[in-house]
Amino acid sequence: MAMAATSTASCSTVNHSLSRKRTTACIHSDYGMTERSNTVPVGSAAFDICITYDLGPKSAEFSQVTTIRLKSMDGTVNTATFDYAAKCRGYCDVTSVDWNGSKTFAKGDTLLRTVTTRFKWTPSGTTKNTITPYLSLGGRVNSSSVINPSESESAKLTIRCDSSVSGAGTGCVFSGYKPTYVMNSGSSPGPRHTST
């Protein structure tokens, strides 16, 4: 089942992937929860997660849209409640969170859940600051809480916000993105070398 288009970033269908451009990025991953009885696994729930980021090169505000889909639920598990939060380190604040749909999934559930989180750069008094977005994942299966909730981040998603160029305004971009330029050697041939 394909993820719904929820932003201008395009997500790879390959699991465990991260793609990034100057102002957009996408992570496609999964998350699993296991129910245990006396330390023995007796059931599980697996989720497909697609996370897109949209930055504002002329704005101090940016957003993250996360789409969550139940992939499977087996064994003793009949319900799974997904605890998810988008956060940031550095010079930023979360300004709003909109969770569309129930945080609890039931066996056979096919509805997508969408979480839209908005952030704002909070300058430190300088014209340039760094922000690192990260995720907090956890929850419970039936009535058992996940043993090891996790937090994850990627250095590839480090954001630079600045207002250092006079007249250009304030904006945020992924600082490590390096654009590539492809040259058509047929229409722009290089100098010819001749031997003497």
Side-chain angles (χ1 to χ4, degrees):
M1 180 178 189
M3 289 282 107
T6 53
S7 81
T8 58
S10 60
C11 250
S12 169
T13 57
V14 177
N15 201 3
H16 301 286
S17 64
L18 187 155
S19 57
R20 177 191 64 188
K21 293 187 178 178
R22 186 168 185 260
T23 61
T24 60
C26 185
I27 300 170
H28 183 197
S29 192
D30 55 15
Y31 185 72
M33 300 180 193
T34 303
E35 183 174 37
R36 300 177 187 277
S37 175
N38 297 322
T39 71
V40 176
V42 293
S44 65
F47 298 88
D48 188 64
I49 303 170
C50 181
I51 304 163
T52 58
Y53 294 87
D54 282 307
L55 307 185
K58 295 185 177 182
S59 172
E61 297 183 15
F62 56 95
S63 65
Q64 181 203 71
V65 178
T66 302
T67 306
I68 305 165
R69 178 181 63 89
L70 176 67
K71 289 197 313 187
S72 65
M73 196 176 281
D74 59 30
T76 58
V77 178
N78 294 311
T79 63
T81 301
F82 200 93
D83 289 337
Y84 170 87
K87 301 179 179 182
C88 62
R89 296 184 211 292
Y91 301 93
C92 59
D93 286 325
V94 172
T95 58
S96 68
V97 178
D98 178 27
W99 187 293
N100 184 357
S102 173
K103 294 182 182 183
T104 300
F105 293 77
K107 192 175 280 191
D109 198 328
T110 59
L111 296 177
L112 297 177
R113 297 342 191 244
T114 304
V115 185
T116 303
T117 307
R118 289 181 182 81
F119 302 86
K120 184 172 184 175
W121 172 39
T122 55
S124 66
T126 63
T127 58
K128 187 185 297 185
N129 293 127
T130 300
I131 296 170
T132 303
Y134 69 101
L135 311 174
S136 174
L137 301 166
R140 64 183 183 276
V141 283
N142 294 333
S143 60
S144 302
S145 293
V146 172
I147 294 173
N148 296 316
S150 63
E151 289 186 347
S152 63
E153 65 183 65
S154 171
K156 290 183 177 181
L157 296 177
T158 299
I159 297 167
R160 182 189 76 241
C161 295
D162 69 63
S163 58
S164 56
V165 178
S166 179
T170 297
C172 299
V173 297
F174 288 110
S175 58
Y177 176 69
K178 293 182 176 42
T180 57
Y181 180 75
V182 178
M183 180 178 268
N184 181 340
S185 60
S187 65
S188 302
R192 296 181 185 235
H193 296 283
T194 57
S195 56
T196 54

